[in-house]
Each structure stands twice: as C-alpha cells, then as structure tokens.
Amino acid sequence: MLNIWRISWRNITRKKKRFVLTLLAIIMGTSFITAMLIADRTTKDVFDYYEEMYTGNADFWILSDEHTYPEEIIDTVQNHQDVDETLMALDKQTFLDLPGEYSDSQLAVRITGVDNLNSNLLKLPVVEGELDNEGLVIPETVADLLHVDVGDTLSFREMGEVKISAIVEYTQLLSSPGSWERAASSSFRMMAPLDLLQERAGLEGEISYIRLSTLGNDEKLFRDIQEELSDTSAFIQPVVADDRQSNDVEGLYTFFYLIAILTMFISGFIVFNMIYTGVIERKKEFAIMKSLGYGQISISRLILMEVSFIAMIGTIIGVPIGIWLGDLFMMTLLGIFEYDMVYSLNWFMPTVISLVAGIIFPVLFSMFPIYSAGKTSILENLKMGANTGPNGKVHWIRYVIGFGLLLFLFIDSPVSYIGLILSVVILSPLFLKIFSMLIKPIILLCMGHPGRMAISNLNKQLYRNANTAALLSVGIAVIILLGALSDAAPENYASQIKANYGGDVRLTAEKPWSASDLDRINDKDFVESSTLLTEATPITWINKDMHLRQFSIIGVDQNSLYYDDFNYTSFENNDTLSIILGERAFQEWGGKIGEDIFVHTPEGTKPFEVIDVAVTSHYSGYVAFMDEEQLSHQFGWENSFDLLIHLDENATEESVRNALWSEFGGFLSKVIFVEDEIASTTSAFEGMNELIQFMLVLVILLASVGTANTLIMNTFERTSEIGTMRALGFTILQVKNMVLLEGFLIGLAGVLGGLLTGLCLLVVASNSALIGDFVTVYLPVESIILTVAAGILLSLIASWISSSTASKIDIQSSLKEG
Amino acid sequence: MIKVSGLVKSFTQGKNITEVLKDVDLKIEEGEFVAIMGPSGSGKSTLLQLLGGLDSPTNGKIEIDGKAISEMSENQRTIFRRKNIGIIFQNYQLLNNLTVEENIAFPLYADGTLDKEKMKEVKELIQAVGLNELNKKQANLLSGGQQQRVAIARSLVNHPGVLLADEPTGNLDRSKAEEILLLLTQFHKKNNQTIVMVTHDIFAAGFADKIILFKDGTIEQIISREEENYAQYLANFMA
C-alpha cells in the first residue's frame, strides 16, 4: 500500500534548497506570531498583575482634598454593617539621612504607614524578611541601591532610625528609582506600620486615606458613606483598576500585531510561491495521475497533504523558538521601563493559537495552487509537457483596482493604510516593469549582456518577482513609518509637553499650598511667576461599555497657564455641567462630543456634558479638564496640591531643585521640571526604537528569505535555459552575475518601492487627525539608511545562494530536460 | 580539423562505472560534413558533447584546429566554444523570452562583440534562413521548423569553424527535415565549415560526406558516401 505521508515527504523535499527556505519561512512566521502573541498577553498580564497588586482587594477608598484627616471621621464607616475589612494609610514625605554627597532631591522618600501590612487589601510580594508590622518594608531596587538588607536600619531626617523588616518585589505602591540619577527627579517609596509613622511624624490620629472591602451591598454602602461624609473634606471613590494615566501601552499591542501580521503575510507568500511553482512543475505528473483515474479532488488533496506536512514540520520547530523569542522580547521590553518588573510567560494560549495558525496560514495561502493542481488538463499537459507558468503581460483591470485603492489615501482611517499596502502589491508588476525599463540603459552600460538577460528574466516572471519586491517594499514602508513615529514622537511629545506643561517646574506637595507658602515661593529670585494647579484625583467615571474608569480632573480658569489646545470659552458659554476630555480619555469613554459622561462626585453620580476634546500631554491625554469653580462646587475640591512655576531665565535646574527641597522638603513630594517630564516620557521611546529596528530587520530578513526562494525557483525553472546559455558560450561568471543582478534589481525595486510607499504612509499619517500630531513629513534618516542597506545587502546574499546554484547547473542534463 | 585520440568517457553511479566511450580515435578534416550514427547508448551524443567542450573526457585528447580543448579549464572551453563552435540541438534550445533576432545574436552578446556590423550580419542570417518576417517574434511562438531555423542561424552567427548538430531533424517531419538539411548543406558549401551531425535518420545521414558508425562506445566503421555498398551497409547496420 502507498504510504501517502512518505510520498508527500518525498515530494516536498524534491528540491532541497526550496524546501529549506520554505520551511525557514514557516518557522520564522510561526515563531514571530508566537512571540508577538506571548508578548501581547504577557505584557497585559504584567500590567494587570501590578494594577491588581496596587488596588489589592479593596472596593472603595476614602480620601480627602487635604493632606490628612482625623481617623474619627471614618469611625462610623469602619463599623458599617456592609464593610468587611479596612486599611488605614498615611503618606509622609521625608529624607533619608545618608552619609555621602547626595542632594535633597535624591534623598527624598515617601513613607506610607499602614495599620496592617498583612491586610488582604494590600499585596506585598515578599522577597526576604517578614511583614511583622514593626519595621520598614522596602522594594528590592532600593535595597540594592542602598546596599541594605533585612535587619539593617535606615535613618531618616527628624524621624530617627527604623529597622528593615522586609524586602519586596516591584509593586506600583512602592515604585522607586533604581539609580541615583533617577532619584533626582522621583522619590523613593517605603512602607511602615501606621502607628510608628504617626508617632515619628507627629501626626497621631491622622490618616491620608482608608481602603475598604465590602460584604457585597456596594451601592448602599457607597450612598451611606457619601451622606456620612458630606460635611467633611473626605469623600468616597470606588477602587478602579485603571492605570492608563501612568502607562500608555495600547500602542505597543498594535505594534505587536502589526509585526505578526506582516511576518505571516510574508511567510504565506513564500509558501504560496513554493507550492505554486511545484504545482506548475508537476503538471505533467498530475496529468498522468488523472489519466490513470485520479480525480480533481484526489490531486488537490495530495497537494493539501504536502502543504499541511511542511506546515506541521515548520510549526513544530517554530513554536518553541517563538516561546524562547517571546521570553527574550519580554525581558527587553520590560527592561525599557526601568523597574524590576517580574513576569511569568503567558505561553499556553499563544502556543495553541500559533499551532493552529502555523498550520492554517500556509494552507490558506496555498488554496489557489491546490485548486490549480486539481484543475490540471490531461490533454494539454501530456501533449505539451510542463508549462513555464504565467507570462509577464500586464492586466489593465488589476491596475485600475490598484490605482483605485490609492484613493483610500484621502480617507482618514486605519483602512487607508491597508488600502495603500494592497495597492502596492497590486501595482508592483507595473512598477517593476517601469523600473526595469528605466534602469535598463544603466544596467546594459555597466553589466553588458548578463544585465540584459537579468532585465529580461525580471520581466519573464514579472508577477512573482514583483510580488517579492512588494513584500520588501511593504516591510520597508512599515519600518519608515514606525521609524518616523519613534524618531519624531519624542520631539513631538517634548514640544507638546513644553506647550501645555504650564510652567518650567511643577511642585507637588503632600499638603495643600497655603498663601504664605506661595508668598515664600514668589519671593525667590529664580521665580518669575507661579500658579496653582488644582487636580482632583482619582475621580471615577463610567465609560460607554459601562466599565468603571478613573482619571484626574484638572481645574482651569481663564488665567491658567497649562492649556493651549482647547478653548476655555466653551465653559463660559455652557450653562450645564460640562467637561473637556483629553484625547485618550475621550477614546476610552467611547462617546461623542455633546453627549454626557457619568462621573462619581461626592454627591453621587452626575452627568457632565463633554464639550470638547483636548490634545494634551498631561497623563498622555488620559485626563479631564473642568472649570475650576465647577470643580470646587461639584467635587468640593478646594485645595491645590500642585504649583506651577515659571523660572527666571538665569535660573539653573540644580540650584532651583536644591533650594526648593531645602526650604519646602518637609512637605514636598515631587519637584518635576519640564525636562524631567520630557525625559521620562521619551526615554521609553529610545528603548522602543531599538526594539523596533531589531524586529524590523528580522522582517527584512524574512523578506530576503522570500527573495532567495523566488530566485531559486526562477533558477530551477530556467535550468534548461541556463544550460543552453552555457552551451552557447555564457561563462559561469556571466551566469552568476546575471542571477546576482536579478536579485539586486528585485531588492532595489523593493527598496525604492518601499521608500516611496513609506513616504506616502508618512504623508497620510501626518495628515491624519488620529496620529497626525505625532507624525511629521520627516525622513527618519537612520531607519532609511538601515533599511536600504539591509534590504539591498540581504537581497544580494539571497541572490548569491541562487547564483551559486545556477552556476552549478550541469549543461548536459539541463539540455536533456529542455 | 578535429583530432580525437584515445578518448575515454566513463560515468560513475554509486559503485558502478559505465564506460560510454572506449578509446576512440578519430580525425575529421576541415570542411568535412560527417554524420555519426549508431543505436541508443552507443556513445555518439557523448562524443558530440565532448567535441563541443560541454563536458571533459575521462581520458584521451581532443584537438580542434590544433587547440587541445580536452586540456582546457571549463571557463577556457566556454570561451573557445563561443568563438569557434556552433551547436544545433534536437529540441532547438531557444531562449523563449527572447525574440528571433535576440536568440540569433545571443552568442555575440555573450562574447561582447555585438556591434552594428555584426547586427547587419544577424539580419542577413535571418533572411538566409527565411525568417525575416518573424525577426521580432518571441521564440516560443514559432513552429518547430522555424525554431530549428533560428537555431541554425544562431549556430552560424560567430562564423564557427566547427558546427555540431545533435539530431537536428529529430523533432521534425520529413519535409521540414529536408528543408533544414538543405539549409545546412547550403551553409556548409558556402562557409566550408566542418559539420559533425549525430542522427538516427538514414535520410539525414545521406546528406553527409562521411558516416561514422558507433556501437558500444567504439567506432564500428567509417564509410564514405562514394562507396559502392554505402546504402546497403547503412541499412543493415541500423537494422
């Protein structure tokens, strides 16, 4: 009996090099998909994990617009019948007392005192020591930086020494700088028992907030407490796991999927090429099989088995590589965030999806050859022998569609990018034809007859060669777009931050700024002007999908320094409760301008009309703006914890920082210069840029595997022709040059097409209302040089493989084949 | 003149060594039209390939116009071939994506010697083989007879001293075969080239001055058309 698998194996390995390259394409495609899916899910897990750790099991918290409030305010709350567990906390800013030359800003530390470190409302992953409610809890990064261990003591200014009880992993509650350089702009964070902190800070009976979990009747509890607290500075808010204000990773997921789709597309094309050429070569074989009684379906099934077989081999090898690649990617990615985040690889579902996708996508891409094999005509093929495949004629309908798709460029939608990429693929034969016509005189002049033959061969397999070039073009175009985004984004972010930061430096205090504090500040030589920034946080609200979200609402008035991009008069002309949303908040909300957003206020949930969308750098746009009076009236938010300062032009950053910390260090929690904000926003881009370049060089590598595959197929198909050329006097060198030149021309066409497409994408993107603010028609020179060099070099390497195959063609046997 | 002495060609397949040509000695004078005949596997095509420098012998020496091509490197043989030898194949071996004109000019392209003068000669050749209406047509669109005419013109374009033809009429019917053979004879007379033609066809062999009969890798007999029992011997041998 015939072993169908053995026959399939024999068939797919008939052409060894082609088999290896196709397998390589499937392996690369599958491993990329696996890696990207793993990266996507693991990143989501990591952020969910830290978000959950931050919120604990708490359902509500009660905060105040003053720094602290007396514990007795919430006595009745603690005893409410629906309250299950509570956790009281006090935040206190102080300084480490360390020997050595450190500035005050570097030594700033914020200690959070809690009444039970083992509470269910707190998640502290202990690395070393115990949560004994007696000593300090510090994050691992700080322990490493200060070279301290459990049992050691740390000394604080005016608060004395405290023993370290436990060292914990990274958690958002204790997120601290890992270097002295970063310590200059952000405080260390530690935890201590509440009573100890209250006593040392002289704040007995005071707390900053209380977290609580309920027994289930949330709505009633919420209403009861709202009522209870109505005459106090405290207010209740639901605890919402929403950290969009502090991180903007959605763009990252889009990037992951973009890379995965791109690699799948390229791999699929390589598989299509291999199977289609194989089918054309074997038409005579199929004709014989049909003449012996095989039906259309049987032949299609045979090819399907062959494709499935190679897909299975590729997937089995590709998926483990993908898991390893995913792990590597996660390490690099989280390294960018500078925190010691831990992750456990979410590999199971991505592996299952990749196993299915790895087998299905090559089959999908091979549907046409599979169908074509079944449709083989007995008479035509037995009479004429194997055909040489499609000719190089240009079909006008194809080009009408291609040019039609270019009209998508005028639509501001993500669809326009897909339209452009499709039109690149569709128009690529025309482009290659025109390109070869234009370059022919130069090639003839430089390369003589091998050049003439290379040009002629390009046109002979016009569609295949054009598709190969198109793959490279698409890869390069995406690189240019992403390169421009990641090159220009820091600059654009910087200018946007500068435009609406509201000053040169922002001071955040742990108590509201008093009039006397402001006088002292304004008396400083380095201060030109100052303005209070009122920010109510965290305010919870409901999006259109009825999910709870939280952000800050910034109070604005006519004199506010910190908005540029929306019109304050919108508030004046509006009698209703109104709000302006930042871009990301607007997107997350999901409504339209003029509709109401529901926000939790101390008086209950109220509708606010969304009257505008602001392009702002504050919290990367995940923020809202409200008229200051309305904010005070609706939220009872009277105080300002933030102060924006415009500096004198002669002031230096270091002297200002030191002066502020030494005079106001007792209650300052953050001193953030606009440059600090720019640096922290853009530093992630630099890391991302390297990652993008690395990933996209891999995409070009995959596209080059496609080029190698195409050229090898071109060579195999022309074995007899190359044999004839050799018989007629073409030297081995001339044959090699001819094939090398073919590869070079495909690569060059791909690179030029890619540059052109990339520029079009840039123009579309920069005119887009969606991302236009972050893209300018600007050439990312570094990315372009890298891609052009990589594209041409890898195409040459790819063509070298087939040129050496072509040069080894045996003249006699190739003539017999003909 | 072609001079072959002690020519041996063997092929190895695994542990088996097959000797296709066994110590062949042969001399073909300049301007002679020689046909090589013999049953399949007798070594006639192998001899032709060795004469054309498409392969190198296992042993022995081949000299063409005093040049020992058997001692040349592959590259030297290629260059020698394109300057001195024309080859006509049974299945024409035209380059399908090139036009008639380009196919004929191909050896000149390869040699880098195509100029206006040579292009004029190409056009004359196209006219001589009766294809002047088709010179811009792609090769794969021609009939078998037309393709072989292109192949003949191509083999002559470099004015080679030696023309090697491997079953040039093998794929053609009798009337087309006659046309091609008459064309070959016409060029032979005009240019005084040495022609070595491998054929199975007695009719085609009848156009040659001399016939070399091959059997089991050796020359069985060489007979001249002038000999009395020429036709009878040939018929007996092929039978």
Side-chain angles (χ1 to χ4, degrees):
Chain A
M1 201 181 121
L2 287 173
N3 184 330
I4 196 84
W5 289 106
R6 193 178 299 159
I7 294 172
S8 294
W9 171 251
R10 218 180 287 148
N11 284 337
I12 59 176
T13 55
R14 204 185 285 186
K15 306 276 187 191
K16 299 279 185 298
K17 274 189 191 166
R18 190 195 302 173
F19 167 70
V20 169
L21 286 174
T22 310
L23 195 62
L24 195 64
I26 297 177
I27 291 171
M28 285 179 85
T30 320
S31 55
F32 268 41
I33 293 166
T34 314
M36 290 301 111
L37 286 174
I38 287 177
D40 174 35
R41 282 170 187 257
T42 308
T43 313
K44 275 185 184 150
D45 282 359
V46 168
F47 286 108
D48 286 351
Y49 170 71
Y50 285 110
E51 210 170 84
E52 204 180 292
M53 214 192 287
Y54 180 71
T55 55
N57 292 322
D59 297 308
F60 294 99
W61 56 350
I62 297 168
L63 324 94
S64 160
D65 75 334
E66 286 173 4
H67 172 219
T68 59
Y69 58 91
E71 282 177 41
E72 57 256 34
I73 289 185
I74 40 104
D75 274 351
T76 48
V77 173
Q78 280 178 299
N79 298 323
H80 192 285
Q81 57 181 10
D82 290 321
V83 169
D84 182 31
E85 203 175 339
T86 59
L87 178 77
M88 291 193 289
L90 170 69
D91 288 330
K92 179 70 191 123
Q93 196 70 30
T94 183
F95 296 96
L96 280 164
D97 197 1
L98 287 182
E101 301 226 339
Y102 299 108
S103 64
D104 282 351
S105 55
Q106 285 175 310
L107 297 171
V109 57
R110 184 183 187 179
I111 304 176
T112 302
V114 292
D115 62 346
N116 180 9
L117 285 161
N118 291 302
S119 167
N120 285 326
L121 304 181
L122 197 60
K123 285 187 181 172
L124 295 170
V126 176
V127 176
E128 208 185 327
E130 266 180 78
L131 301 173
D132 56 7
N133 288 314
E134 283 178 11
L136 278 176
V137 177
I138 63 169
E140 210 173 2
T141 44
V142 178
D144 290 344
L145 189 68
L146 302 180
H147 306 293
V148 289
D149 218 331
V150 171
D152 293 347
T153 53
L154 280 176
S155 205
F156 300 93
R157 274 186 218 164
E158 295 164 17
M159 285 174 74
E161 288 189 343
V162 187
K163 179 180 69 90
I164 299 168
S165 290
I167 294 172
V168 293
E169 271 176 19
Y170 168 82
T171 147
Q172 232 171 305
L173 272 173
L174 295 175
S175 87
S176 299
S179 65
W180 287 111
E181 203 182 12
R182 273 179 62 84
S185 55
S186 67
S187 303
F188 294 111
R189 290 196 183 179
M190 298 176 185
M191 271 195 177
L194 179 64
D195 49 3
L196 178 83
L197 185 66
Q198 285 174 328
E199 183 209 321
R200 301 277 181 103
L203 289 167
E204 281 91 350
E206 291 286 313
I207 59 168
S208 301
Y209 59 88
I210 181 171
R211 289 178 171 213
L212 50 99
S213 62
T214 68
L215 290 168
N217 201 350
D218 288 8
E219 271 184 41
K220 183 175 177 297
L221 175 87
F222 188 57
R223 275 198 310 273
D224 288 351
I225 296 179
Q226 256 179 349
E227 208 170 303
E228 184 87 32
L229 299 175
S230 57
D231 295 329
T232 69
S233 67
F235 64 95
I236 182 168
Q237 283 285 346
V239 170
V240 178
D242 179 7
D243 68 345
R244 287 172 182 79
Q245 275 202 316
S246 52
N247 78 64
D248 174 14
V249 287
E250 279 101 345
L252 211 58
Y253 304 140
T254 316
F255 164 69
F256 292 155
Y257 285 114
L258 193 69
I259 297 281
I261 290 168
L262 204 60
T263 52
M264 202 167 81
F265 183 64
I266 297 173
S267 301
F269 174 72
I270 296 171
V271 174
F272 166 83
N273 257 355
M274 179 251 186
I275 302 296
Y276 189 53
T277 313
V279 163
I280 287 171
E281 278 172 4
R282 290 162 62 194
K283 281 266 176 179
K284 195 167 183 177
E285 178 186 320
F286 301 142
I288 295 169
M289 288 165 83
K290 273 186 136 177
S291 70
L292 296 175
Y294 259 62
Q296 182 179 336
I297 293 174
S298 316
I299 290 174
S300 291
R301 199 188 297 141
L302 181 75
I303 304 296
L304 180 67
M305 285 199 70
E306 289 175 21
V307 178
S308 311
F309 197 16
I310 193 168
M312 271 193 273
I313 301 170
T315 306
I316 288 166
I317 302 171
V319 168
I321 295 174
I323 296 173
W324 171 78
L325 206 62
D327 195 16
L328 197 72
F329 191 82
M330 280 311 299
M331 272 196 281
T332 318
L333 187 69
L334 293 183
I336 292 170
F337 290 98
E338 292 189 32
Y339 298 116
D340 244 359
M341 290 186 180
V342 287
Y343 65 91
S344 64
L345 218 56
N346 183 339
W347 60 272
F348 183 73
M349 271 317 282
T351 301
V352 173
I353 296 169
S354 301
L355 282 173
V356 176
I359 293 168
I360 286 179
F361 89 80
V363 172
L364 280 179
F365 275 91
S366 308
M367 287 318 279
F368 177 69
I370 289 171
Y371 170 78
S372 164
K375 291 293 280 182
T376 302
S377 151
I378 301 178
L379 287 179
E380 268 178 33
N381 287 285
L382 287 185
K383 201 168 136 195
M384 295 165 60
N387 201 351
T388 48
N391 61 31
K393 278 189 186 163
V394 165
H395 299 291
W396 65 270
I397 298 176
R398 181 183 173 119
Y399 298 126
V400 169
I401 296 171
F403 283 112
L405 280 169
L406 283 179
L407 295 175
F408 273 88
L409 291 180
F410 301 103
I411 304 169
D412 184 14
S413 148
V415 178
S416 59
Y417 301 97
I418 298 170
L420 180 64
I421 285 171
L422 276 178
S423 81
V424 167
V425 175
I426 292 174
L427 293 176
S428 59
L430 184 67
F431 177 75
L432 191 63
K433 221 170 171 62
I434 295 170
F435 168 76
S436 60
M437 229 161 61
L438 294 176
I439 204 164
K440 193 173 177 178
I442 303 166
I443 295 292
L444 288 184
L445 194 71
C446 303
M447 299 297 293
H449 193 52
R452 181 192 303 274
M453 290 310 294
I455 298 268
S456 162
N457 293 335
L458 270 192
N459 287 304
K460 190 178 179 186
Q461 282 298 349
L462 184 68
Y463 284 90
R464 186 192 298 158
N465 295 333
N467 287 342
T468 309
L471 282 186
L472 196 59
S473 296
V474 170
I476 287 174
V478 174
I479 294 175
I480 290 174
L481 179 66
L482 292 178
L485 270 172
S486 61
D487 270 11
E491 227 170 273
N492 287 321
Y493 268 113
S495 60
Q496 206 177 57
I497 290 169
K498 274 185 183 161
N500 50 37
Y501 195 64
D504 298 317
V505 57
R506 176 172 169 169
L507 310 183
T508 305
E510 59 183 16
K511 70 170 188 64
W513 289 95
S514 64
S516 66
D517 293 334
L518 290 179
D519 288 343
R520 277 160 65 205
I521 288 271
N522 288 329
D523 282 348
K524 299 283 170 215
D525 291 343
F526 56 78
V527 175
E528 203 176 271
S529 63
S530 70
T531 182
L532 283 169
L533 171 73
T534 311
E535 180 182 332
T537 188
I539 302 296
T540 54
W541 50 282
I542 304 160
N543 73 6
K544 288 282 178 185
D545 297 329
M546 301 308 288
H547 292 128
L548 268 181
R549 295 286 179 260
Q550 70 176 17
F551 55 26
S552 304
I553 300 180
I554 295 177
V556 289
D557 64 19
Q558 273 177 329
N559 304 315
S560 295
L561 297 168
Y562 42 84
Y563 61 87
D564 272 1
D565 298 304
F566 60 88
N567 196 351
Y568 176 76
T569 49
S570 318
F571 285 120
E572 290 179 326
N573 299 336
N574 207 300
D575 298 333
T576 56
L577 297 178
S578 52
I579 195 167
I580 289 174
L581 298 181
E583 269 181 314
R584 278 177 64 223
F586 183 75
Q587 275 169 23
E588 182 58 30
W589 170 54
K592 290 182 188 128
I593 290 176
E595 289 182 352
D596 290 337
I597 183 172
F598 289 88
V599 182
H600 288 134
T601 72
E603 291 170 8
T605 308
K606 284 189 178 177
F608 287 80
E609 187 189 339
V610 177
I611 55 170
D612 206 348
V613 180
V615 178
T616 176
S617 61
H618 289 280
Y619 300 107
S620 309
Y622 201 73
V623 69
F625 297 91
M626 194 175 279
D627 175 65
E628 211 166 57
E629 273 182 35
Q630 207 170 60
L631 185 67
S632 161
H633 184 66
Q634 296 300 326
F635 292 86
W637 203 278
E638 308 277 352
N639 297 315
S640 298
F641 290 79
D642 294 271
L643 183 67
L644 292 159
I645 299 177
H646 269 292
L647 295 174
D648 181 83
E649 57 185 351
N650 297 321
T652 64
E653 190 185 312
E654 203 184 340
S655 63
V656 171
R657 207 187 282 277
N658 288 337
L660 288 169
W661 278 109
S662 65
E663 187 161 350
F664 303 98
F667 61 92
L668 261 186
S669 57
K670 281 182 207 161
V671 176
I672 300 180
F673 281 73
V674 68
E675 287 77 17
D676 297 334
E677 182 72 13
I678 290 168
S680 80
T681 310
T682 56
S683 67
F685 278 99
E686 281 158 26
M688 280 304 292
N689 207 1
E690 283 166 22
L691 206 60
I692 287 174
Q693 281 176 354
F694 171 71
M695 294 303 292
L696 291 165
V697 164
L698 288 183
V699 170
I700 295 189
L701 189 69
L702 184 60
S704 303
V705 171
T707 309
N709 192 298
T710 296
L711 288 171
I712 279 197
M713 281 186 297
N714 288 352
T715 305
F716 279 134
E717 274 174 13
R718 299 204 318 261
T719 301
S720 156
E721 192 180 304
I722 292 170
T724 305
M725 288 179 185
R726 294 274 293 112
L728 295 175
F730 238 45
T731 59
I732 288 175
L733 190 66
Q734 282 175 312
V735 170
K736 269 189 173 178
N737 284 346
M738 178 182 77
V739 178
L740 266 176
L741 202 58
E742 260 178 79
F744 172 75
L745 290 174
I746 291 175
L748 190 62
V751 166
L752 290 177
L755 288 177
L756 212 64
T757 316
L759 278 177
C760 285
L761 282 177
L762 277 184
V763 174
V764 176
S766 60
N767 290 330
S768 157
L770 301 170
I771 52 172
D773 290 325
F774 294 96
V775 186
T776 39
V777 186
Y778 149 83
L779 290 179
V781 181
E782 205 180 305
S783 301
I784 288 179
I785 293 172
L786 179 80
T787 49
V788 169
I792 292 179
L793 187 74
L794 289 170
S795 297
L796 278 175
I797 293 171
S799 41
W800 178 81
I801 299 171
S802 41
S803 79
S804 78
T805 305
S807 67
K808 284 178 195 145
I809 285 174
D810 177 60
I811 304 179
Q812 292 99 293
S813 47
S814 65
L815 290 176
K816 274 179 205 157
E817 276 180 36
Chain B
M1 187 179 71
I2 299 172
K3 195 177 166 193
V4 172
S5 47
L7 192 67
V8 175
K9 181 66 187 176
S10 51
F11 295 100
T12 309
Q13 200 169 25
K15 288 178 182 173
N16 299 329
I17 299 170
T18 312
E19 210 165 57
V20 181
L21 292 176
K22 300 165 185 168
D23 198 18
V24 175
D25 292 312
L26 177 68
K27 195 188 263 183
I28 300 169
E29 295 298 336
E30 195 176 329
E32 260 189 320
F33 185 169
V34 174
I36 302 176
M37 294 190 77
S40 294
S42 58
K44 55 187 189 305
S45 286
T46 307
L47 174 67
L48 201 76
Q49 283 161 4
L50 292 173
L51 292 180
L54 300 178
D55 201 356
S56 54
T58 311
N59 254 318
K61 193 173 180 184
I62 302 170
E63 279 179 65
I64 296 177
D65 294 336
K67 304 265 167 48
I69 65 162
S70 51
E71 285 160 18
M72 290 178 184
S73 69
E74 192 174 354
N75 202 42
Q76 287 169 327
R77 284 204 310 268
T78 304
I79 294 165
F80 181 83
R81 183 167 60 241
R82 76 180 177 210
K83 288 186 185 296
N84 303 287
I85 301 171
I87 306 179
I88 303 165
F89 302 95
Q90 178 180 359
N91 42 15
Y92 330 124
Q93 298 292 2
L94 299 186
L95 302 170
N96 286 336
N97 55 327
L98 301 187
T99 62
V100 166
E101 195 175 272
E102 287 166 341
N103 261 289
I104 294 171
F106 188 88
L108 299 170
Y109 284 134
D111 204 27
T113 52
L114 185 68
D115 53 19
K116 276 187 184 167
E117 194 61 32
K118 296 268 185 189
M119 203 58 214
K120 207 174 139 199
E121 284 181 32
V122 170
K123 290 199 183 339
E124 283 167 8
L125 264 173
I126 293 171
Q127 202 163 13
V129 293
L131 294 173
N132 40 341
E133 298 293 311
L134 303 169
N135 64 332
K136 295 289 178 197
K137 204 162 185 178
Q138 222 162 287
N140 57 340
L141 303 174
L142 303 176
S143 71
Q146 288 168 333
Q147 289 198 34
Q148 196 59 299
R149 283 163 183 267
V150 176
I152 289 172
R154 181 179 66 185
S155 70
L156 296 168
V157 76
N158 258 348
H159 305 295
V162 175
L163 201 62
L164 304 174
D166 189 2
E167 302 272 10
T169 56
N171 284 349
L172 303 174
D173 62 29
R174 177 53 62 93
S175 70
K176 290 273 183 284
E178 192 172 359
E179 275 177 32
I180 292 297
L181 289 163
L182 285 171
L183 199 63
L184 263 181
T185 321
Q186 183 192 322
F187 282 118
H188 173 233
K189 279 180 183 157
K190 187 179 163 198
N191 303 330
N192 196 32
Q193 278 149 330
T194 309
I195 299 182
V196 182
M197 174 176 73
V198 165
T199 183
H200 272 101
D201 186 4
I202 299 173
F203 173 74
F207 284 78
D209 306 322
K210 198 197 269 180
I211 299 168
I212 301 169
L213 299 172
F214 251 79
K215 198 175 175 186
D216 296 331
T218 54
I219 295 173
E220 178 92 352
Q221 182 150 14
I222 300 175
I223 53 171
S224 167
R225 206 163 43 168
E226 277 75 43
E227 286 179 34
E228 269 180 35
N229 54 351
Y230 159 78
Q232 187 58 49
Y233 189 90
L234 211 58
N236 289 344
F237 178 80
M238 291 311 287

